[in-house]
């Protein structure tokens, strides 16, 4: 007959306990690994498709450029409806040459600056459209 020492049982219990606790807590958190879709009730730029660029950094740059292009269009037309959907990712990529600040293909944009610019333009649009 095999006898298991009490220390071995205690060690086994301590090792298995975090696994059972994590399994219990994760069951209520989410049922799927699918990313939630962007809520289109607000006028927000969607996430660029992953095949648009190799890195998230560049895709985030494209997203900021889309926001900038949409607010430029608002300035030209004066329409307060959401104009983001009027532009394709192809158009964004073509216009992105205007925003390139580096010869480095992995870091062509200053994404932080582009995002700040897009936010500033969107805030101006929101203020102007809410005043109407």
């Amino acid at each position: 007959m095999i006898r298991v020492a009490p220390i071995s049982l205690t060690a086994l219990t301590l090792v298995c306990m975090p696994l059972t606790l994590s399994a219990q807590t994760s069951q209520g958190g989410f049922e799927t690994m699918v990313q939630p879709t962007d809520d289109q009730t607000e006028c927000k730029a969607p996430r660029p498709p992953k095949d648009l660029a190799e890195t998230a950094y560049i895709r985030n740059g494209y997203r900021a450029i889309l926001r900038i292009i949409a607010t430029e269009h608002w300035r030209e037309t004066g329409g307060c409806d959401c104009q983001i959907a009027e532009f394709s990712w192809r158009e964004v990529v073509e216009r992105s040459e205007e925003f390139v600040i580096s010869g480095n293909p992995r870091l062509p944009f200053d994404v932080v600056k582009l995002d700040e610019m897009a936010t500033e333009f969107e805030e101006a649009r929101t203020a102007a459209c809410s005043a109407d």
Side-chain angles (χ1 to χ4, degrees):
M1 176 183 260
I2 301 175
R3 291 190 179 199
V4 180
I7 295 174
S8 298
L9 287 176
T10 305
L12 182 61
T13 303
L14 290 175
V15 169
C16 292
M17 190 169 45
L19 296 175
T20 57
L21 290 176
S22 66
Q24 290 172 352
T25 56
S26 67
Q27 287 177 352
F30 57 86
E31 283 75 34
T32 181
M33 293 296 288
V34 176
Q35 292 291 320
T37 57
D38 291 336
D39 184 14
Q40 293 299 321
T41 57
E42 292 183 48
C43 188
K44 291 177 64 177
R47 286 182 170 183
K50 288 192 177 198
D51 60 349
L52 189 63
E54 181 181 349
T55 64
Y57 184 86
I58 296 173
R59 290 191 302 269
N60 289 338
Y62 287 148
R63 185 171 188 245
I65 292 167
L66 172 61
R67 293 169 54 209
I68 291 168
I69 292 171
T71 53
E72 286 175 351
H73 190 257
W74 159 74
R75 286 182 187 165
E76 294 168 3
T77 64
C80 287
D81 54 327
C82 185
Q83 299 173 348
I84 293 224
E86 295 182 26
F87 301 96
S88 69
W89 288 115
R90 178 176 296 219
E91 292 172 291
V92 171
V93 171
E94 290 171 1
R95 288 276 313 269
S96 69
E97 292 298 319
E98 301 170 28
F99 300 93
V100 172
I101 61 162
S102 167
N104 183 347
R106 301 209 29 99
L107 302 168
F109 316 116
D110 182 348
V111 175
V112 172
K113 184 176 178 182
L114 289 175
D115 193 51
E116 288 172 351
M117 185 185 313
T119 300
E120 181 182 321
F121 291 168
E122 288 172 340
E123 287 172 353
R125 177 188 170 273
T126 300
C129 290
S130 64
D132 291 342

